[in-house]
């Protein structure tokens, strides 16, 4: 993660052009009227006819096991359970010869028992791999291990996990200068074909699963983001040209609270994807508030406003198939460690605070999603 964090930390900043803050009214707020005012936050109008878009939560096995309140909040709010790390290679493949499905099974069974949906994350990533995988140094072994892994994992959950993030973060962080591909072991050993290999293996194993290509930094204003969106469209077209099934794009949406969402380009991106016949999943929504002042209400207001800007655009061009937040409570969020604040305070990235109380972000989500609570 160190790489990822420093890449993102050092990336060019496309700060708000308009007024240097996150105060802009969104189109939805302006056109649709303001339905509620809470803690000074402009909330989106809650439409009677809103599409039934499910709300997912990326779930961490350690908190799931240790914290009954965490489990209760999952049941209270969410439609889909997405194992946050339990289906990644480092969780499943401690050693080469064996798969450890204990954590993933527990989360998937919990979802099934409670009539929640599930979503698989992820079959290929440059990160979060065990040492023995990182040590592979020839193409033949890499392909064999990759295909075996995907066949085994997808087969185990066939008919139970309906959607898979087949490949994760294959686009370069800043593709304007050094080419389109994110560096990593799969690219190094197999070249761009690693994407095709992964999708083919997943499609062969579960022809009914919906197969998704997942990536970050697809929502903001600026040339780096334009380029990333263009590459994502090219990747979808490339798979389709090879007759490789691809059903969706995951927009992670780890959104910088101080950056402007590019409404026009996000709507266009959604429509371009629809024209290609693929759906969009908002797959990892949370908010990076490291540049905002310490004050909770300032941060919560900025987060709610950026969330509204983003969801406005995604629903105007969409709707998406699901919106998943990357965790549910600020008590447990990767943002605090990966994007640390100078003042050392923890991040207010998620819809519930550290004490599991709702923040304005939850109210924003309710305005768009078919939420239980
Ligand atoms: C992160 C998890 O939240 C952390 O718990 C873990 O240590 C590292 O991975 N993009 C992704 C996710 O696709 O899988 C990452 O999740 C966050 C960035």
């Amino acid at each position: 993660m160190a790489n990822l964090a420093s890449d993102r930390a050092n990336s060019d900043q496309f700060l708000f052009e308009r007024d240097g803050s996150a105060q802009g009214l969104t189109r939805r707020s302006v056109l649709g009227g303001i339905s509620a005012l809470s803690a000074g936050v402009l909330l989106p109008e809650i439409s009677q006819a809103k599409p039934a878009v499910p709300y997912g939560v990326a779930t961490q096995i350690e908190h799931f096991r240790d914290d009954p309140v965490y489990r209760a909040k999952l049941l209270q709010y969410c439609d889909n359970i997405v194992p946050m790390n339990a289906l990644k290679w480092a969780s499943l493949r401690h050693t080469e010869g064996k798969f450890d499905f204990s954590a993933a099974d527990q989360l998937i069974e919990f979802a099934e028992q409670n009539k929640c949906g599930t979503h698989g994350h992820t079959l290929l990533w440059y990160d979060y791999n065990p040492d023995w995988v990182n040590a592979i140094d020839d193409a033949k072994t890499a392909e064999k291990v990759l295909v075996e892994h995907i066949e085994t994992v997808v087969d185990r959950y066939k008919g139970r996990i309906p959607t898979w993030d087949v490949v994760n973060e294959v686009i370069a962080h800043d593709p304007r200068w050094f080419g389109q591909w994110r560096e990593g072991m799969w690219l190094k050993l197999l070249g761009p074909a690693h994407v095709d290999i992964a999708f083919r293996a997943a499609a062969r194993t579960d022809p009914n699963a919906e197969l998704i290509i997942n990536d970050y930094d697809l929502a903001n204003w600026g040339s780096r983001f334009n380029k990333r969106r263009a590459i994502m469209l090219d990747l979808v077209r490339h798979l389709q040209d090879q007759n490789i099934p691809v059903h969706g794009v995951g927009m992670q949406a780890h959104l910088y609270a101080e950056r402007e969402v590019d409404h026009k380009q996000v709507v266009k991106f959604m429509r371009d994807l629809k024209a290609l016949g693929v759906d969009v999943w908002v797959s990892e929504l949370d908010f990076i508030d490291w540049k905002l002042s310490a004050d909770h209400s300032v941060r919560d207001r900025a987060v709610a406003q950026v969330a509204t800007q983003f969801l406005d655009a995604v629903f105007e061009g969409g709707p998406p198939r699901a919106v998943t937040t990357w965790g549910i409570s600020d008590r447990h969020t990767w943002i605090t460690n990966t994007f640390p604040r100078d003042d050392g305070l923890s991040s207010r990235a998620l819809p519930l605070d550290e004490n599991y109380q709702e923040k304005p972000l939850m109210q924003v989500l309710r305005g768009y999603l078919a939420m239980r609570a």
Side-chain angles (χ1 to χ4, degrees):
M1 295 313 299
N3 259 348
L4 178 66
S6 61
D7 264 12
R8 292 183 185 184
N10 295 331
S11 73
D12 46 355
Q13 302 281 307
F14 295 103
L15 299 179
F16 272 39
E17 296 282 283
R18 244 192 328 265
D19 56 7
S21 71
Q23 301 302 317
L25 285 183
T26 68
R27 190 160 182 269
R28 190 181 175 109
S29 319
V30 173
L31 297 181
I34 297 157
S35 65
L37 200 63
S38 155
V41 177
L42 302 177
L43 299 174
E45 185 184 0
I46 299 178
S47 151
Q48 296 299 319
K50 64 182 176 181
V53 176
Y55 173 54
V57 171
T59 305
Q60 283 173 278
I61 189 67
E62 59 275 31
H63 312 311
F64 176 88
R65 284 180 176 155
D66 295 350
D67 181 353
V69 184
Y70 184 84
R71 286 198 297 278
K73 293 298 165 185
L74 293 176
L75 290 180
Q76 185 179 342
Y77 289 99
C78 75
D79 305 302
N80 292 341
I81 302 277
V82 183
M84 183 184 282
N85 297 312
L87 286 165
K88 291 174 182 168
W89 284 65
S91 306
L92 295 173
R93 309 297 304 276
H94 310 299
T95 56
E96 184 168 358
K98 256 189 29 215
F99 285 77
D100 174 4
F101 287 109
S102 53
D105 278 357
Q106 203 178 346
L107 293 177
I108 301 302
E109 278 159 23
F110 175 80
E112 289 171 343
Q113 280 157 11
N114 292 290
K115 305 212 173 343
C116 298
T118 59
H119 176 95
H121 177 83
T122 174
L123 299 169
L124 177 152
W125 193 19
Y126 69 84
D127 202 0
Y128 218 85
N129 295 318
D131 291 344
W132 70 267
V133 170
N134 289 326
I136 297 172
D137 62 3
D138 71 285
K140 206 162 150 246
T141 311
E143 182 164 351
K144 180 171 158 285
V145 167
L146 177 62
V147 169
E148 260 171 24
H149 177 88
I150 293 176
E151 287 176 350
T152 307
V153 177
V154 172
D155 187 60
R156 182 177 187 88
Y157 298 107
K158 199 169 170 171
R160 299 170 71 199
I161 295 185
T163 52
W164 279 101
D165 296 336
V166 179
V167 300
N168 191 38
E169 303 188 343
V170 297
I171 301 175
H173 177 73
D174 188 345
R176 288 172 304 179
W177 321 116
F178 303 113
Q180 77 172 72
W181 296 102
R182 176 91 206 194
E183 277 173 28
M185 62 158 294
W186 303 115
L187 180 72
K188 193 169 117 214
L189 295 173
L190 298 173
H194 69 290
V195 173
D196 306 3
I197 293 168
F199 269 87
R200 281 207 173 96
R204 249 193 336 267
T205 311
D206 186 354
N208 293 320
E210 290 189 285
L211 306 180
I212 295 166
I213 177 165
N214 194 46
D215 223 304
Y216 67 96
D217 280 356
L218 296 166
N220 291 100
W221 181 93
S223 58
R224 184 169 71 84
F225 297 87
N226 286 339
K227 185 82 188 170
R228 291 178 64 86
R229 284 184 283 266
I231 291 171
M232 183 58 98
L233 290 165
D234 281 348
L235 287 171
V236 170
R237 283 189 208 103
H238 161 82
L239 289 167
Q240 294 179 331
D241 288 348
Q242 315 297 307
N243 288 320
I244 299 174
V246 52
H247 306 94
V249 163
M251 293 179 82
Q252 290 186 359
H254 301 291
L255 295 176
Y256 293 88
E258 79 282 6
R259 285 193 197 195
E260 186 170 13
V261 169
D262 193 331
H263 182 94
K264 201 168 134 220
Q265 289 304 324
V266 170
V267 172
K268 182 174 180 311
F269 183 58
M270 299 290 298
R271 291 188 177 147
D272 288 347
L273 289 169
K274 205 182 276 178
L276 289 172
V278 298
D279 286 334
V280 168
W281 275 254
V282 174
S283 54
E284 305 186 14
L285 185 65
D286 57 15
F287 295 85
I288 302 164
D289 61 351
W290 60 349
K291 304 290 178 209
L292 303 185
S293 74
D295 188 277
H296 283 186
S297 63
V298 170
R299 285 197 268 161
D300 292 352
R301 187 162 57 234
V303 163
Q305 287 179 337
V306 173
T308 306
Q309 287 182 353
F310 173 66
L311 292 171
D312 268 356
V314 165
F315 276 75
E316 189 177 319
R321 289 282 299 280
V323 172
T324 294
T325 53
W326 207 241
I328 191 164
S329 147
D330 296 338
R331 183 178 283 252
H332 312 294
T333 165
W334 75 301
I335 298 291
T336 295
N337 296 328
T338 309
F339 302 90
R341 296 174 54 86
D342 288 343
D343 57 18
L345 293 175
S346 52
S347 164
R348 294 182 67 82
L350 289 166
L352 301 179
D353 70 11
E354 287 181 314
N355 300 313
Y356 293 111
Q357 298 304 302
E358 287 191 9
K359 298 189 310 182
L361 175 57
M362 186 64 92
Q363 195 55 21
V364 172
L365 293 174
R366 232 182 236 116
Y368 294 90
L369 305 178
M371 294 189 51
R372 293 183 178 200

